Amino acid sequence: MPSKQEFVRDFIERDRKLLFEDVKKNQEYVEHENEFKIIADFTEYSPLHMGHRHCMLKAKEKVENGIFVAVVPGLFERSGRGLPYIMSRHARADSAVAVGADVVIEGPPMGIMGSGQYSLCLAKTFKALNADYIPRGYKPVQGFQEILHRISDGKGVAPKPYKIIDMDTKEVLIKGKLHEDNYVIVSLSRSLKKINFDFKDKFIFVPRIEGVSGTKIREAVLKRNLSSVEDMLPPETIEVLNREMARERAPLHNCRDEEGIIELVNEGSGEYLKSLALLDDKTVENLIKNRPFKNMADIEECISWGFSRHYKNRILSSLEARIDKKTVSSYIDKYPSVIRVLNFKDKDTLKNFKNNIPTRRIEIWQSKKEIL
């Protein structure tokens, strides 16, 4: 049985090949009207907890006979915060279908993009799916209801430094920063507006439930003590987590390709390092000046401070993936060049899904899970 480090190195190398294959493809769409309503939800499911389940069930209750499509972040298994996910996207897709999703597709490679870039890719995913509804959990806070009302009315709202504005009127709606879930909603509305996707009356906003802590869940997984958080997790998620831990495929959220990163920063040319997504010139200069490195801590010390507290982790994820800025830009332009299905409820549901979306480039990956 391969170690978790070997598992991580293997899927990073495989995903590099996938990305370079995808960037060579062009989008293929045809004019199409949905026979079934598509409920498209983007969620990391790291892991899928009772809050995710609550949002999913609320959306399915509202849209009878709809197809619930979970968009799970894909390539390189790194979040927008640059952190590894708790388990692979294939395992997360398994838990999503077990809890109630009809189809799970692969979302954008968040770990090698800036927040605006992956928000744009998400928007393009919803457009590719011709989504009828977009459920999103949010944290109720003072002033945010007005923002939700404007977004429900199809108006773009955009995050700016320390304020949120109406994109049309430039009116300042809220000053200060938003809770992460709320920020995602605002950022997505800006991206949907940017690609001219009509989202009027498409959002289903679901207040977050209390008593669920992602931090406590991840700590419990690290300690292999899922019973301490069983009230926060659906039994289906616990079953998948136990399966993945037995196979040494979880937890992964503290696992990186450290050997690959150290080798790259010790041997890569300055020109090559500067070409990689997200890397800034100052960081590259620091890395070259202070090499050779023997450990990750010293490498992290050389990463300059970015505009986000997650910047260092994003840089580490970029060093793992080794994708250059030009390729990322081309990838985003063509995104999604393929709809990659990770799992699905049954063959009839998959058939309805395939017949319902305006693209003819669909890959079924369920049968390929065992290569991981």
Side-chain angles (χ1 to χ4, degrees):
M1 179 183 296
S3 67
K4 283 192 287 188
Q5 284 286 346
E6 292 172 321
F7 178 58
V8 167
R9 284 197 295 271
D10 287 347
F11 74 63
I12 288 176
E13 186 56 36
R14 184 207 64 181
D15 286 354
R16 274 177 50 80
K17 294 177 182 177
L18 277 177
L19 187 143
F20 283 110
E21 289 174 5
D22 288 351
V23 82
K24 296 175 183 177
K25 303 170 184 174
N26 292 312
Q27 296 171 330
E28 294 184 359
Y29 298 121
V30 296
E31 291 297 325
H32 187 83
E33 290 189 10
N34 288 356
E35 180 180 353
F36 296 89
K37 297 296 183 182
I38 294 290
I39 313 164
D41 179 32
F42 168 80
T43 314
E44 295 175 318
Y45 294 151
S46 188
L48 191 157
H49 53 59
M50 295 302 288
H52 297 133
R53 178 180 178 273
H54 174 71
C55 186
M56 180 190 298
L57 295 182
K58 285 295 182 182
K60 295 187 73 170
E61 286 175 7
K62 183 168 183 177
V63 187
E64 293 185 9
N65 299 318
I67 298 176
F68 189 98
V69 181
V71 182
V72 173
L75 303 176
F76 307 114
E77 307 289 0
R78 301 298 182 251
S79 74
R81 298 172 296 284
L83 296 171
Y85 288 121
I86 203 166
M87 53 186 176
S88 75
R89 60 189 179 275
H90 301 280
R92 288 180 283 137
D94 288 348
S95 62
V97 169
V99 168
D102 297 304
V103 177
V104 183
I105 69 169
E106 183 180 271
M110 297 173 67
I112 63 169
M113 297 179 173
S115 59
Q117 290 177 315
Y118 66 73
S119 178
L120 181 62
C121 286
L122 288 178
K124 295 173 77 170
T125 300
F126 294 133
K127 185 174 182 178
L129 294 172
N130 199 20
D132 297 287
Y133 295 98
I134 304 171
R136 289 304 310 172
Y138 74 96
K139 185 176 179 63
V141 294
Q142 185 176 4
F144 196 63
Q145 203 64 39
E146 171 60 22
I147 289 177
L148 295 183
H149 175 75
R150 295 193 186 209
I151 293 174
S152 293
D153 200 35
K155 298 177 181 178
V157 177
K160 298 290 183 180
Y162 303 105
K163 62 184 177 182
I164 308 300
I165 68 166
D166 184 302
M167 294 175 68
D168 293 326
T169 67
K170 309 304 179 185
E171 178 184 356
V172 176
L173 304 176
I174 286 182
K175 292 184 178 180
K177 295 184 178 181
L178 290 176
H179 180 275
E180 187 169 343
D181 288 344
N182 297 357
Y183 179 89
V184 169
I185 292 172
V186 169
S187 181
L188 181 56
S189 81
R190 174 187 59 185
S191 297
L192 290 169
K193 188 80 171 180
K194 187 174 181 180
I195 64 171
N196 298 316
F197 182 71
D198 183 8
F199 53 92
K200 180 178 172 61
D201 297 327
K202 291 195 173 186
F203 276 92
I204 300 174
F205 295 120
V206 181
R208 288 184 57 187
I209 61 173
E210 300 296 328
V212 177
S213 168
T215 299
K216 289 183 179 179
I217 291 171
R218 287 184 284 275
E219 288 175 351
V221 176
L222 278 175
K223 296 176 181 177
R224 296 179 180 265
N225 182 25
L226 298 184
S227 61
S228 65
V229 290
E230 61 183 3
D231 59 327
M232 300 183 190
L233 296 171
E236 296 88 348
T237 295
I238 292 176
E239 181 178 350
V240 173
L241 276 167
N242 281 326
R243 182 195 76 192
E244 295 300 295
M245 287 191 290
R247 296 177 179 178
E248 288 300 316
R249 297 179 180 179
L252 299 177
H253 56 291
N254 61 343
C255 191
R256 288 194 183 276
D257 178 17
E258 296 186 2
E259 291 181 7
I261 293 174
I262 292 172
E263 180 181 2
L264 175 61
V265 299
N266 281 340
E267 300 181 7
S269 69
E271 182 180 1
Y272 178 70
L273 291 174
K274 287 180 180 180
S275 76
L276 297 179
L278 303 180
L279 265 74
D280 62 278
D281 290 353
K282 182 63 176 177
T283 292
V284 173
E285 291 168 6
N286 289 342
L287 291 173
I288 292 176
K289 178 181 178 180
N290 291 282
R291 64 188 185 185
F293 296 93
K294 295 182 178 180
N295 59 68
M296 292 291 291
D298 289 342
I299 291 174
E300 290 185 46
E301 284 295 318
C302 289
I303 300 175
S304 63
W305 288 97
F307 62 91
S308 165
R309 69 181 187 276
H310 307 303
Y311 186 70
K312 290 197 173 189
N313 278 311
R314 288 177 176 172
I315 293 298
L316 293 178
S317 292
S318 181
L319 291 171
E320 285 181 304
R322 307 187 312 280
I323 306 296
D324 64 275
K325 296 179 177 74
K326 289 184 178 179
T327 298
V328 170
S329 179
S330 179
Y331 182 83
I332 293 170
D333 287 342
K334 296 182 177 182
Y335 193 84
S337 60
V338 59
I339 301 294
R340 190 168 286 124
V341 177
L342 300 175
N343 207 341
F344 51 90
K345 179 181 176 182
D346 52 47
K347 290 183 178 179
D348 287 339
T349 300
L350 178 64
K351 180 180 179 181
N352 292 336
F353 170 73
K354 291 174 68 176
N355 291 336
N356 204 73
I357 62 174
T359 180
R360 292 296 177 261
R361 196 186 293 279
I362 300 175
E363 293 182 3
I364 311 301
W365 263 58
Q366 189 191 38
S367 61
K368 301 182 182 179
K369 288 185 293 182
E370 293 308 315
I371 71 172
L372 284 177

